[in-house]
Amino acid sequence: MADRTVLVTGGTGGLGGAVTAAFHADGWRVVVPSREAGAAGEPSGPVPVVADLLTPEGAARAVAVATAEPTAPLRAVVNLVGGYASGGLVHETPVEEFERLLRLNLRPTYLVTHAALPHLVAAGGGAVVCVSSRAAVSPFPGAAGYVTAKAAVQAFAHAVAVEYRQRGVRCNTVLPSVVDTPANRAAQPEADHGRWVPPAEIAAVIRFLAGPESAPTSGASVPVYGRA
């Protein structure tokens, strides 16, 4: 029986599948929200919950499921929900598109963390891991909304680390370059995919940051660039 729970948002995506597998293999109870009900999985696999994480109610519902097992208290939250879109330069980008990327990348991270923090504190501490991007520290043209949103995720994680340090909750961020997922390969068929980072390798870093092995580490931004 698992003795600790992790809530993994975006756990059904290309990176999310590797992250949920890494935690499950390590003996965690894994709770995975999604906006729509999916096919039933194995009874011993991840625990699904239908929740719209763009709303406070959905975030609260996901956290309620993650904290519903007294013998496996919530010890970690992994914020993977987000998205990318390219476009024109800043003066060519409608404010609606800029705000859409902020909402998609930052709002679920804030709402889920906001709902989970009291439970992590009450359980004696835990970890939050957020996913930013190398673009947050090394921007490229044509993606101002994405770059700004991922930089905001990184700044939010730093704020959580400072505010909850004395309450036993750590918060760290990983910064991927290009993740080697089927969707990214389809979008960039001519790229050198061997330079990209396999999801399983990023998942191992996330699991480490969520577990007791990384107890001294909070407020870190960890590059997971591979050779990209």
Side-chain angles (χ1 to χ4, degrees), residues 201-225:
E201 293 185 2
I202 300 174
V205 175
I206 291 173
R207 200 223 57 78
F208 170 76
L209 290 172
E213 305 92 335
S214 61
T217 305
S218 190
S221 295
V222 181
V224 282
Y225 299 164

Side-chain angles (χ1 to χ4, degrees), residues 109-128 155-172 215 217-219:
T109 293
Y110 177 82
L111 289 175
V112 171
T113 305
H114 171 272
L117 279 168
H119 298 278
L120 292 171
V121 172
V128 178
F156 172 69
H158 289 330
V160 172
V162 170
E163 290 189 357
Y164 290 86
R165 180 179 298 145
Q166 302 304 321
R167 302 186 183 191
V169 178
R170 302 176 296 109
C171 189
N172 295 290
T217 305
S218 190

Side-chain angles (χ1 to χ4, degrees), residues 23-192:
F23 278 98
H24 188 259
D26 198 42
W28 292 65
R29 175 177 175 260
V30 184
V31 175
V32 179
S34 61
R35 296 189 67 167
E36 298 179 356
E42 296 295 327
S44 60
V47 179
V49 52
V50 177
D52 181 358
L53 301 183
L54 287 168
T55 69
E57 297 79 11
R61 183 178 304 113
V63 171
V65 173
T67 57
E69 182 52 66
T71 60
L74 180 64
R75 292 293 189 187
V77 174
V78 178
N79 291 304
L80 301 180
V81 169
Y84 169 79
S86 60
L89 301 179
V90 170
H91 78 280
E92 300 167 328
T93 303
V95 67
E96 292 81 8
E97 175 63 11
F98 185 83
E99 291 179 336
R100 184 185 74 84
L101 287 167
L102 277 174
R103 176 180 173 86
L104 176 60
N105 287 280
L106 185 59
R107 186 177 173 92
T109 293
Y110 177 82
L111 289 175
V112 171
T113 305
H114 171 272
L117 279 168
H119 298 278
L120 292 171
V121 172
V128 178
V129 182
C130 299
V131 175
S132 179
S133 168
R134 181 169 65 177
V137 296
S138 182
F140 52 87
Y146 176 75
V147 167
T148 302
K150 287 303 188 182
V153 169
Q154 184 183 22
F156 172 69
H158 289 330
V160 172
V162 170
E163 290 189 357
Y164 290 86
R165 180 179 298 145
Q166 302 304 321
R167 302 186 183 191
V169 178
R170 302 176 296 109
C171 189
N172 295 290
T173 312
V174 295
L175 282 68
S177 53
V178 184
V179 185
D180 189 4
T181 64
N184 283 340
R185 286 195 174 216
Q188 303 180 54
E190 304 302 322
D192 181 358

